[in-house]
Amino acid sequence: MSQDIDSNWNPLTLIILIIVTLTILIGGFFLLQTMQNQKILMTLTAVTWGLGSVALLFFVLNAIAESMPRKVRSVSVAVVFAGPAVLMLLWALVMPTLRSLRLSFADANGNGFVFLDNYKFAFTDPIMLESFRNNLLWMIFGTSFCVIMGLIIAVLADKSRSEKVFKSLIFMPMAVSFVGAGVIWKFIYNYKGEGINITEIGLLNAIVTSLGGEAQAWLLMPFWNNFFLIIIMVWLQTGYGMVIMSSAIKGIPEEINEAAKVDGANAFTIFFKITIPYIMPTIITVTTTILIFSLKLFDIVRVMTGGNFGTNVIANEFYLRQFTYGHSGQASAIAVVLLVVIVPVLAYNLKEFRGREVLK
């Protein structure tokens, strides 16, 4: 066995390193306890101690792994570097998922067993049915508009001399948070109502009244107000689709387009017969990514309407059940349903990514 061990570290050095590391880890913790009244010093010490301790811990664990016999060295090194990430995933993703699954069969307090009552609520309650319908609208129309507009803009901008300017303008909303976008679009849809000395400040109503129409409460129109909210997602996500698909379009060999032009193909024929088939994997990836976003959509609805006036979505109803009504059982059932719906789309998206990696 000793012949299998080929390491630059001798046992005594490793033992000293382990002792020093444990001393720093434990000593730093107790040192921070003595700095409760010195917040700035405690913060600086915590950052320095935390980063230094993690780096030292990885260094020592790597040294231990490299000191092991060759047969287990590759496995031990992989465990040292991937192990913490796997543990974090288990703690942050797997454990909450299992806990939500357990709570979905429990009552409001998470104690009594109610079997499938929460799932019955999730699939039969009128509010949930309305949420499912609205999420379906977001998935179909929001995703379609984002992908189609992103593709059209990517193709047109690719042929423009001001490509960088146009792309920057279209991509700029991606830098705005969903809450920020909600605030911006609230000014656009703003409606003050009717009465003396009331002046409309909403941009959309200003346009409508300037054309001779009447000001409207856009976000209070049942059913149609969902489309006014979907426009915000299109505004935010079109830039993402445009950038990804534009890079795919630039990967099309110019010889193919030139050969098609020589054969008499016009711009529409090249677009539908060459461009779209060539970048179809990218279009599918962008579509599934935006589809996942539309499934778990929350911020825009929460900020703009709070889920009222027929605009509720699944994620917002989950929020209401958990944090407003305090019914963890129903909230967990909604979360599990949302997870079950998203996982197939996510799996398909990952499959597409792996397929593209293989092609490279």
Side-chain angles (χ1 to χ4, degrees), residues 26 37 60 80 87 92 96 120 154 201 242 246 294 314 329 333 345:
I26 299 172
N37 298 325
V60 172
V80 166
L87 289 176
K120 182 181 178 182
I201 61 170
M242 176 202 67
S246 178
S294 63
I314 298 173
V345 184

Side-chain angles (χ1 to χ4, degrees), residues 21 28 105 111 182 230 236-237 241-242 246 284 319 327 337 353:
T21 304
F105 296 102
N111 297 322
I230 289 173
L236 286 170
Q237 294 294 311
M242 176 202 67
S246 178
I284 292 174
Y319 173 84
H327 201 305
V337 170
F353 272 124

Side-chain angles (χ1 to χ4, degrees), residues 299-339:
D299 314 65
I300 295 173
V301 172
R302 189 70 204 158
V303 172
M304 297 294 287
T305 63
N308 298 310
F309 320 118
T311 60
N312 206 8
V313 290
I314 298 173
N316 186 63
E317 188 58 27
F318 160 76
Y319 173 84
L320 292 174
R321 293 287 158 185
Q322 179 65 42
F323 299 107
T324 302
Y325 307 140
H327 201 305
S328 60
Q330 292 179 346
S332 299
I334 295 172
V336 171
V337 170
L338 192 59
L339 178 67

Side-chain angles (χ1 to χ4, degrees), residues 257-258 260-261 265-277:
N257 290 332
E258 293 297 331
K261 290 177 183 175
N266 57 32
F268 286 99
T269 305
I270 293 175
F271 177 73
F272 287 107
K273 298 291 185 180
I274 296 177
T275 303
I276 295 224

Side-chain angles (χ1 to χ4, degrees), residues 125-249:
D125 189 86
I127 295 177
M128 285 303 302
L129 295 179
E130 177 190 281
S131 301
F132 281 122
R133 182 205 67 181
N134 292 339
N135 265 101
L136 195 61
L137 292 176
W138 283 86
M139 290 166 59
I140 295 173
F141 294 100
T143 304
S144 301
F145 288 150
C146 288
V147 174
I148 293 172
M149 290 187 66
L151 178 60
I152 293 174
I153 294 171
V155 172
L156 295 179
D158 192 53
K159 301 180 184 303
S160 172
R161 292 181 180 178
S162 304
E163 178 185 356
K164 293 181 179 177
V165 176
F166 290 132
K167 284 184 176 178
S168 298
L169 291 174
I170 299 298
F171 190 76
M172 198 175 293
M174 282 288 293
V176 181
S177 69
F178 297 116
V179 176
V183 173
I184 293 171
W185 282 84
K186 264 200 168 182
F187 283 113
I188 295 176
Y189 293 141
N190 190 276
Y191 174 71
K192 291 292 186 181
E194 298 178 356
I196 301 173
N197 296 328
I198 290 180
T199 304
E200 294 294 341
I201 61 170
L203 179 61
L204 188 55
N205 276 327
I207 295 173
V208 170
T209 52
S210 67
L211 296 175
E214 294 183 358
Q216 302 290 330
W218 306 103
L219 297 179
L220 301 184
M221 296 179 178
F223 186 73
W224 297 108
N225 48 9
N226 287 289
F227 291 94
F228 292 122
L229 297 181
I230 289 173
I231 290 173
I232 302 173
M233 188 184 89
V234 175
W235 180 69
L236 286 170
Q237 294 294 311
T238 297
Y240 162 75
M242 176 202 67
V243 169
I244 303 297
M245 288 185 282
S246 178
S247 63
I249 290 172

